[in-house]
Amino acid sequence: MTGDDRLTVAVPRESRADEQRVALVPEQVGTLRAAGMEVVVETGAGSRAWFCDDAYAAAGATVLPTGELYAAAGVVVGVGRPRLAALRAGQVVVGLLRPREDPALMTRLAALGVTAVSLDELPRTLTRAQPMDALTSQANVAGYKAVLVAANALGRFLPMLVTAAGTARPARVLVLGAGVAGLQAIGTARRLGAVVHAYDIRPQSREEARSVGATVLDLTGPDGDAEGGYARALADGEEAALRTALAPHVAAADVVVTTAQVPGRRPPLLVAEEAVKGMAPGSVIVDLAAGPEGGNTALTRAGATVVTEGGVTVVGAGDLAATVPIAASAAYSRNVTALLTHLVRDGRPAIDRTDEIQAGVVVTHLGRVVHPVIASLLDKDGGVPR
Ligand code: NAD
């Protein structure tokens, strides 16, 4: 808290070396101050996204050296995980904390007496939660960047070009998984002049892909709706049949962007090694589903780029949103500000898990892991104390 006892929101410099984003940009400082909060920013917090300390100060924030930041904080807003050693009981931590991937972190935050609020757990289908939907805002950025990464690695033009030296045909781009990132990839590839095909196992996504200008592959694959607008996991046989059906379309593509995810499961394997062998030399795959458990292709290595013997570049894209840091930070900052204005009542975080939004995002409170799904993961992991 500051001297006048207003709630202080602290913005640390992100600790991950490849993280260029910052959780709050100067534009939102005034909004939080108008809502009764003070903002303190760690020296250099926004510099990797080109938001300088002076811009925060001009917007009304106080810029503090590292050692003083956490001590002043009632709420710490970050993109990734906070510096645990600096936290103290009673503080609220907001971020994309990935509690399903790292439930043990939640145990540690609970043990510190910290209230962990994770934007990954937002109930995304609630209309009033949409301004807070950081998964959507960041997937949008990643889908856009995926096409630029592909274009950069591709040995040919994306658009059709007619020049005195001849005519170049447009590149053929295939987008697999037409959720938020996939739809943005389709739009971006179309704007760059490519011929775009797409596929998703959810009929609604196929319709959305069509509406943003993709030709949807006519496959007799399984429909895969699950709860909350997500896809269901396919049975092994269904997934293998889908791979076989997709293979000729993969082979015909110059660029494949894959984005298919199923919550809580390893990403579906959509592109087999044989299908990659069918692609022309110089083609590119960008796999946005790449993670520690693999990705949508058999050759994906998370965070790495592999060039096959056949000359196909497979980019295991890490968090591409972090590589467009101005746009990604600006959008994330609006999400965080919307969440904070929802959480804070009469100048204090009002934790109330009967509220539908909070029932999703509040993972630890008063020394316990209070989110039932995350708590059950801890139980399953074998005796990690709640
Ligand atoms: P995601 O990242 O979980 O998955 C990306 C896409 O991959 C999804 O469209 C999914 O259907 C698809 N997919 C999964 N398995 C597949 C397979 N075997 N083959 C082909 N495609 C496969 O999804 P997301 O982008 O985070 O969003 C999922 C959906 O939720 C979107 O359609 C989005 O519009 C919806 N959503 C709704 C709201 C809302 O209602 N307010 C908010 C956010 C997102």
Side-chain angles (χ1 to χ4, degrees):
M1 301 289 162
T2 52
D4 64 358
D5 210 29
R6 281 155 64 99
L7 179 68
T8 299
V9 176
V11 186
R13 190 177 158 89
E14 293 294 318
S15 47
R16 223 180 68 194
D18 58 350
E19 180 57 80
Q20 299 180 56
R21 289 169 290 186
V22 60
L24 194 80
V25 304
E27 197 187 325
Q28 264 78 46
V29 170
T31 311
L32 292 182
R33 295 192 78 219
M37 295 168 240
E38 288 300 326
V39 179
V40 295
V41 178
E42 184 174 354
T43 312
S47 63
R48 285 177 287 185
W50 291 280
F51 296 105
C52 65
D53 290 349
D54 287 352
Y56 284 101
T62 305
V63 179
L64 291 178
T66 307
E68 291 171 32
L69 184 90
Y70 280 80
V75 178
V76 179
V77 294
V79 179
R81 57 192 288 164
R83 275 173 241 147
L84 297 192
L87 295 172
R88 61 178 159 71
Q91 286 176 323
V92 177
V93 167
V94 176
L96 286 167
L97 303 175
R98 300 175 182 260
R100 288 172 201 252
E101 286 91 341
D102 191 2
L105 173 65
M106 299 301 121
T107 311
R108 293 172 68 192
L109 289 169
L112 288 168
V114 164
T115 298
V117 176
S118 194
L119 281 162
D120 331 53
E121 295 298 323
L122 191 79
R124 300 172 74 195
T125 49
L126 279 183
T127 306
R128 66 196 178 95
Q130 277 171 16
M132 309 168 202
D133 190 343
L135 289 182
T136 290
S137 73
Q138 303 305 292
N140 248 317
V141 178
Y144 161 81
K145 184 67 184 275
V147 175
L148 302 191
V149 168
N152 194 37
L154 186 68
R156 57 188 314 135
F157 296 122
L158 284 184
M160 181 173 92
L161 284 188
V162 183
T163 72
T167 299
R169 67 163 174 84
R172 197 176 154 113
V173 173
L174 174 63
V175 176
L176 298 178
V180 178
L183 291 173
Q184 189 56 250
I186 293 168
T188 305
R190 293 244 315 149
R191 286 191 286 273
L192 286 170
V195 171
V196 184
H197 291 73
Y199 190 69
D200 196 296
I201 55 170
R202 291 184 304 119
Q204 191 189 335
S205 282
R206 294 200 288 274
E207 205 37 61
E208 286 165 356
R210 225 172 257 124
S211 74
V212 294
T215 302
V216 172
L217 300 182
D218 186 15
L219 306 181
T220 49
D223 278 349
D225 281 306
E227 273 177 16
Y230 288 108
R232 72 177 171 88
L234 298 180
D236 287 351
E238 290 175 316
E239 204 172 282
L242 182 57
R243 274 196 296 282
T244 306
L246 286 172
H249 301 283
V250 169
D254 302 297
V255 169
V256 181
V257 175
T258 65
T259 77
Q261 305 260 22
V262 178
R265 304 291 285 263
R266 78 166 295 291
L269 185 56
L270 300 180
V271 179
E273 195 167 346
E274 275 310 300
V276 180
K277 279 188 186 149
M279 294 178 80
S283 318
V284 180
I285 300 176
V286 176
D287 187 351
L288 286 184
E293 294 185 75
N296 291 147
T297 95
L299 301 173
T300 301
R301 299 288 164 267
T305 296
V306 176
V307 182
T308 67
E309 273 179 30
V312 178
T313 302
V314 183
V315 182
D319 202 344
L320 283 187
T323 70
V324 194
I326 297 178
S329 302
Y332 186 79
S333 175
R334 283 191 287 273
N335 300 142
V336 163
T337 300
L339 178 81
L340 288 179
T341 40
H342 177 72
L343 273 187
V344 174
R345 292 276 165 270
D346 301 323
R348 291 285 165 279
I351 303 303
D352 170 14
R353 285 188 39 84
T354 62
D355 169 69
E356 270 180 303
I357 291 176
Q358 292 205 37
V361 295
V362 176
V363 183
T364 70
H365 188 50
L366 297 176
R368 291 179 47 237
V369 176
V370 290
H371 191 294
V373 177
I374 309 302
S376 72
L377 293 176
L378 288 163
D379 289 342
K380 239 189 276 167
D381 276 357
V384 185
R386 283 202 238 163

